[in-house]
Amino acid sequence: MFEDLKPRLADLNGNGHDEIIVVKSDLKRGSSLAVIGERRGKYEIVAETPPLGAPHRWLDPAGIADFNGDGKIDIALVRQPHVIGSLELWSWTGGALRKIAELPDIANHIAGTLAIDMAATADFDGDGIADIAAPSFDRSRLRIVSFAPQPREIATVTLPAKAVTNLALVAEACGPPAIAVGLANGSLVVIRRIP
């Protein structure tokens, strides 16, 4: 069974055709991230992460981009955003997914809500490589993290109340990207780096 509200499309192998990235659920083994591609005229699962190991264990995709600057597309996901909150980076290598990095203290979903896209991908530090913005596990801070040249936090902003909405990326042609997020106190904040 597949879960999540939308599949994600990306050309992982560089052949000019998008693969479909979905969350796959197994009643006994929990969730995994699956890549569906066209092979010999049929669509089939061509790669997937190991399942999380037990029922009711879920993961949530956080972004798809070249996050470590090696020229290959990576997939970022949060393992068990309600219980563990570990941001994992998976690389498409040789037709398989391989975990190459991990950072703790990230949440991109609130249990029981449709807020399942609480992450944004952009080049927040201006180095030409994609970064990820997402709330901390307790949703009290917005964290900006990079995987290039190694996994690290490049900025953190303490929020006046907990983040409760999906993140919106606000891109401007003449400035750095910004993040908009709704908070538990009813306010909307926009966070941007001052150039």
Side-chain angles (χ1 to χ4, degrees):
M1 171 178 138
F2 299 111
E3 52 183 314
D4 206 354
L5 296 179
K6 64 181 178 184
R8 289 146 178 90
L9 303 176
D11 183 6
L12 297 177
N13 58 13
N15 69 356
H17 300 283
D18 285 340
E19 280 72 37
I20 305 165
I21 296 97
V22 296
V23 178
K24 180 181 164 190
S25 184
D26 185 284
L27 290 174
K28 294 181 181 175
R29 301 182 312 148
S31 295
S32 61
L33 186 88
V35 176
I36 299 171
E38 184 181 0
R39 301 298 182 264
R40 297 170 296 283
K42 299 187 321 183
Y43 282 93
E44 58 188 51
I45 294 176
V46 296
E48 68 182 282
T49 63
L52 296 179
H56 309 295
R57 291 187 181 172
W58 193 59
L59 59 86
D60 190 15
I64 301 171
D66 177 10
F67 290 111
N68 60 357
D70 67 356
K72 298 176 187 173
I73 300 295
D74 306 304
I75 303 170
L77 62 87
V78 177
R79 179 169 35 101
Q80 294 183 263
H82 322 122
V83 179
I84 293 175
S86 179
L87 179 64
E88 298 179 352
L89 191 64
W90 291 80
S91 181
W92 176 269
T93 305
L97 291 172
R98 180 175 60 92
K99 184 165 71 168
I100 58 172
E102 188 170 346
L103 283 170
D105 189 31
I106 295 282
N108 64 339
H109 178 243
I110 301 172
T113 74
L114 294 179
I116 63 169
D117 198 13
M118 297 178 78
T121 297
D123 179 11
F124 293 106
D125 60 2
D127 67 355
I129 300 170
D131 309 304
I132 297 174
S136 59
F137 184 69
D138 67 0
R139 301 187 330 273
S140 67
R141 295 173 290 123
L142 182 70
R143 297 184 69 201
I144 313 286
V145 298
S146 174
F147 289 96
Q150 61 200 21
R152 62 193 166 83
E153 181 176 84
I154 54 178
T156 186
V157 176
T158 300
L159 301 170
K162 287 189 177 195
V164 295
T165 68
N166 292 331
L167 269 59
L169 182 62
V170 181
E172 293 186 7
C174 59
I179 297 295
V181 62
L183 305 181
N185 65 3
S187 63
L188 174 72
V189 296
V190 175
I191 300 161
R192 81 168 25 126
R193 175 175 61 90
I194 304 298

